[in-house]
Amino acid sequence: MNRRYRKTIIAGNWKMNKTLSETKAFAEAFKPMLGRPRWCDVVLCVPAVNLQPAIRLFKDSRVSIAAETCHYEPSGAYTGEISAEMLKDIGVKYVIVGHSERRQYYNETDLTVNKKVRAALEAGLKPIVCVGESLEQRELGVTMELIAYQVKCALAGVSAERVRHVVFAYEPIWAIGTGRTATAQEAQEVCETIRAIIRKLYGARVARGVTIQYGGSMNPQNAFELLAQPDVDGGLIGGASLKPDQFMEIIKAADQD
């Protein structure tokens, strides 16, 4: 982490978990633990049906609420979809874009990821853009080339001023929900590569201000080592974010001196 130039952000991605009553129970347990973190911004990415209740439940805390996806059009005949403008209007601050599960199960492509990034920024949301490789791609030795392609596609047509509002999350697909985690060195190498790509596109000043998270089975046991890396500015947390005490331990690791 480098707090001199950029924010440290710990975001919990609940995926398709927690009913409204479970969300209320989480808030009741978590808010007294949280207090006021000194260095770390906290984000909860919750299912769409829980967005407005979560905004109300956390309105008096240091927690921002995020959506798990959005559509790239502002309105139209897209049954079941939610636009970035709709999310912004109810008080959502961030939105996840291009998570590997969206790419795998719902056929999201690098083109639609780019369209969603631009739609989110246009609406005033901060996109958390997920990039990452499969185990086969890592074993083939094409990780860095693939990451470069994904980052460049995501940022196509995005101005330098707006890039400052983009968060990247490196999520190796082989580490999501498997309990297998990239080593601190592996996470640093890829996050450093992401920053180098942004530097080539927009210059050093912009690149050093962009928050780059690590996602992929970050937990209380490995968070401190991962977050100690100079280019790892936080985490996009899956399973551990569903448990208030575990999520809090990761936030404490990010809030270290």
Side-chain angles (χ1 to χ4, degrees):
M1 297 180 290
N2 189 328
R3 298 192 186 97
R4 180 180 177 184
Y5 295 116
R6 51 192 175 263
K7 288 183 178 181
T8 300
I9 302 175
I10 298 295
N13 178 18
W14 284 3
K15 306 187 180 184
M16 195 175 71
N17 290 292
K18 293 198 181 295
T19 62
L20 176 55
S21 61
E22 290 169 335
T23 300
K24 291 178 179 177
F26 181 96
E28 291 171 358
F30 181 66
K31 286 165 62 178
M33 298 179 187
L34 181 62
R36 298 182 65 83
R38 293 173 297 168
W39 310 112
C40 171
D41 286 2
V42 179
V43 178
L44 280 176
C45 312
V46 306
V49 294
N50 289 336
L51 285 170
Q52 282 189 296
I55 290 166
R56 290 194 297 269
L57 287 165
F58 289 98
K59 67 179 180 180
D60 56 348
S61 73
R62 295 284 295 274
V63 177
S64 297
I65 301 301
E68 297 179 10
T69 187
C70 68
H71 199 273
Y72 50 77
E73 293 290 352
S75 62
Y78 302 100
T79 301
E81 293 291 337
I82 301 172
S83 73
E85 286 81 359
M86 292 173 180
L87 296 173
K88 178 67 174 178
D89 189 59
I90 64 171
V92 169
K93 303 296 185 184
Y94 293 81
V95 60
I96 299 174
V97 175
H99 193 281
S100 64
E101 291 158 1
R102 298 292 308 179
R103 296 177 190 251
Q104 178 181 356
Y105 300 129
Y106 303 104
N107 301 315
E108 292 197 4
T109 67
D110 292 302
L111 175 61
T112 56
V113 167
N114 173 251
K115 293 167 76 172
K116 288 186 176 190
V117 168
R118 289 187 289 160
L121 291 169
E122 184 66 28
L125 298 176
K126 296 179 180 180
I128 300 174
V129 185
C130 299
V131 297
E133 82 284 10
S134 67
L135 181 59
E136 292 80 5
Q137 290 163 334
R138 174 163 282 272
E139 291 176 341
L140 285 171
V142 298
T143 293
M144 300 310 178
E145 291 86 348
L146 177 69
I147 296 297
Y149 177 79
Q150 290 177 329
V151 171
K152 289 177 181 178
C153 286
L155 294 179
V158 177
S159 69
E161 180 59 33
R162 285 187 165 174
V163 170
R164 300 174 188 275
H165 302 291
V166 176
V167 177
F168 275 95
Y170 167 52
E171 290 208 316
I173 298 170
W174 47 270
I176 298 174
T178 64
R180 181 176 177 180
T181 308
T183 66
Q185 181 179 356
E186 289 170 336
Q188 166 60 21
E189 287 173 350
V190 178
C191 291
E192 183 179 25
T193 294
I194 294 171
R195 199 173 310 282
I197 296 162
I198 299 171
R199 186 183 304 116
K200 287 181 180 179
L201 294 173
Y202 298 98
R205 185 175 181 180
V206 171
R208 66 175 175 245
V210 174
T211 296
I212 303 174
Q213 302 172 311
Y214 171 77
S217 298
M218 184 184 283
N219 56 55
Q221 288 70 48
N222 59 33
F224 189 95
E225 183 180 10
L226 287 163
L227 294 167
Q229 304 307 306
D231 288 292
V232 178
D233 307 313
L236 183 59
I237 316 301
S241 72
L242 297 172
K243 301 176 181 179
D245 55 341
Q246 291 190 17
F247 193 44
M248 191 64 230
E249 287 302 311
I250 297 172
I251 292 167
K252 288 178 181 177
D255 215 30
Q256 61 188 302
D257 291 324

